[in-house]
Amino acid sequence: MKSRKFALLTSMLIVLSIILSACGGAAATPTPAAPAEPTAATGTGTSGDMVDTSKFKKDGPYQIGFSNISVVNSWRVQMVRELEYEKTLHPEISDLFITDAGGDINKQIADIEDLLARGVDALLVTPTSPEAIVPVVQKALDQGIPVIVFNSALAGNIETAFVGTDEVEFGYVISVWLMEQLNCEGNIIALDGIAGNSISEDRFKGLQNAINECPDPAKVQILSREAADWARDKGKIATEKALAAYPDIDGVWSQGGAMTQGAMEAFQAANRPLVPMTGEDNNGFMKAWKELAPQGFKGIAASEPTWISAEALKLALDALAGKQIAKQTFIPVPTITDANLDEFVKPDLSDEYWTNSKLPEDVAREYYGE
């Protein structure tokens, strides 16, 4: 890694003010234009292109539909809860209909058809497929229904607006830190998200970019790469397999979700020394990290906030009000290090909680209190 880049990143991680702004769907992440500086109020930046939504303007009350790819992991469960809470802040919303495609493309198409039949005024979508659901989304648009896509993108960017993060940057930020910890030399294992999922692929590209910036990329060996669905149990199983196969593992590159906590548990069960590990803002990982930091454990976490759904809902309401909205909204990737871990870890909440949340404390405790 170029020493100047390492120095710059290290300084940024130390001074970075965390922006309270997977793990997701199966679509290509759009290439963002340079985002605007995040604001303290929203923590989001836009591409600069604005959408005239006057054709969608109508009086409330509104019925909002949300077609979700799945609730396959705890991130997606909390994402739905953030959406449901945001709905309570808007009396102009009479109904919020939520469907779960279970990762099935045909089910999602049928779900959207059903939402249209219910007469929804706006549609939120996390796509199962970048291409397959385009026709049904176009049908919604042709009916004068604004469509807000979030978490993963849609082919052709035909939607009214998109909300997401730069997934390559997500993978890159945590990977540069790992390369620094290893001095760009050693054996690592890689824990991916859902197999074939573009968010998973984009985050892995971030790892590859960081390795390629090392003085000699060949000195970094990826011993294994296994999809573990961003889930704690599957992350543990994948790590157990790697530990059985490889006597020398110097680092764990987990692209997030709850997989890192599972990896830590696998190392401990095998009586292997903990190595530097990357992860995401899952509270289980945060708590284990804080507990083991005095023993020398080193970690880093990035975050795709669960409240991305709430941002999508607010954009839908702006479209129904006829306001101009950004075509693309990007949520910067905040980074959690030893320096600011205490700002995020919640010892009194369950492992399933995601710490970069906008749920009020009482609501979070209702769902995640121990």
Side-chain angles (χ1 to χ4, degrees):
M1 180 67 66
K2 299 180 178 69
S3 59
R4 186 167 63 180
K5 180 162 293 223
F6 271 131
L8 175 60
L9 180 67
T10 303
S11 299
M12 289 175 63
L13 292 177
I14 293 173
V15 303
L16 180 64
S17 295
I18 294 301
I19 303 163
L20 290 176
S21 323
C23 298
T29 302
T31 302
E37 286 298 317
T39 67
T42 65
T44 60
T46 66
S47 66
D49 296 328
M50 303 301 289
V51 177
D52 180 1
T53 65
S54 58
K55 64 183 178 181
F56 300 120
K57 185 176 181 180
K58 64 193 310 185
D59 295 329
Y62 304 121
Q63 295 187 112
I64 308 296
F66 171 38
S67 172
N68 189 10
I69 178 177
S70 73
V71 284
V72 69
N73 52 50
S74 59
W75 185 93
R76 302 203 68 82
V77 171
Q78 186 166 322
M79 176 269 291
V80 173
R81 288 171 174 164
E82 303 260 8
L83 175 64
E84 291 172 330
Y85 174 73
E86 183 65 30
K87 183 260 184 187
T88 68
L89 305 181
H90 300 278
E92 68 271 31
I93 301 176
S94 61
D95 295 292
L96 174 63
F97 303 118
I98 299 175
T99 62
D100 176 11
D104 185 281
I105 294 171
N106 292 325
K107 175 68 164 57
Q108 183 162 47
I109 293 171
D111 286 345
I112 295 175
E113 292 278 10
D114 180 63
L115 291 170
L116 297 182
R118 284 174 175 258
V120 296
D121 298 296
L123 180 65
L124 313 180
V125 181
T126 56
T128 52
S129 164
E131 293 89 11
I133 69 168
V134 165
V136 73
V137 169
Q138 186 62 58
K139 180 178 179 179
L141 293 166
D142 291 343
Q143 292 181 12
I145 298 170
V147 179
I148 310 301
V149 171
F150 69 96
N151 183 224
S152 56
L154 198 62
N157 294 325
I158 67 168
E159 68 275 2
T160 308
F162 169 83
V163 185
T165 58
D166 183 340
E167 302 295 350
V168 176
E169 178 69 10
F170 185 112
Y172 176 77
V173 167
I174 58 177
S175 302
V176 169
W177 174 89
L178 184 59
M179 293 302 100
E180 184 180 38
Q181 294 297 310
L182 302 180
N183 197 26
C184 275
E185 183 174 348
N187 300 321
I188 66 174
I189 62 172
L191 302 178
D192 278 346
I194 298 172
N197 179 284
S198 73
I199 292 177
S200 182
E201 293 300 317
D202 282 347
R203 290 185 182 181
F204 188 77
K205 287 178 186 176
L207 170 62
Q208 293 174 308
N209 290 345
I211 292 175
N212 288 335
E213 289 178 352
C214 287
D216 185 356
K219 290 185 177 181
V220 180
Q221 295 296 314
I222 301 176
L223 300 175
S224 66
R225 180 189 178 192
E226 185 163 345
D229 294 353
W230 292 291
R232 174 180 174 180
D233 57 342
K234 294 180 181 180
K236 182 176 182 179
I237 292 170
T239 305
E240 287 171 343
K241 292 179 183 177
L243 288 168
Y246 304 106
D248 297 313
I249 299 174
D250 302 304
V252 173
W253 183 83
S254 163
Q255 61 164 259
M259 297 184 296
T260 313
Q261 184 182 8
M264 295 175 75
E265 292 168 346
F267 268 77
Q268 291 174 309
N271 292 316
R272 296 272 285 269
L274 288 171
V275 297
M277 298 186 187
T278 65
E280 201 165 353
D281 63 309
N282 171 258
N283 200 39
F285 173 40
M286 302 284 101
K287 291 195 290 187
W289 176 359
K290 181 175 175 63
E291 178 185 351
L292 296 170
Q295 302 174 33
F297 175 73
K298 297 294 184 183
I300 191 172
S303 170
E304 179 166 0
T306 51
W307 52 259
I308 192 173
S309 56
E311 291 298 308
L313 178 58
K314 287 186 282 187
L315 279 174
L317 292 175
D318 283 346
L320 291 172
K323 299 178 181 178
Q324 278 204 338
I325 61 175
K327 177 65 175 178
Q328 294 182 320
T329 299
F330 298 99
I331 300 174
V333 180
T335 311
I336 303 168
T337 67
D338 286 323
N340 53 20
L341 176 61
D342 286 342
E343 298 175 23
F344 286 84
V345 64
K346 303 296 182 185
D348 57 340
L349 298 184
S350 77
D351 290 356
E352 303 306 307
Y353 180 65
W354 292 78
T355 64
N356 183 9
S357 171
K358 287 188 176 180
L359 290 175
E361 184 176 347
D362 60 333
V363 177
R365 193 168 303 283
E366 176 185 350
Y367 288 123
Y368 300 104
E370 290 192 329

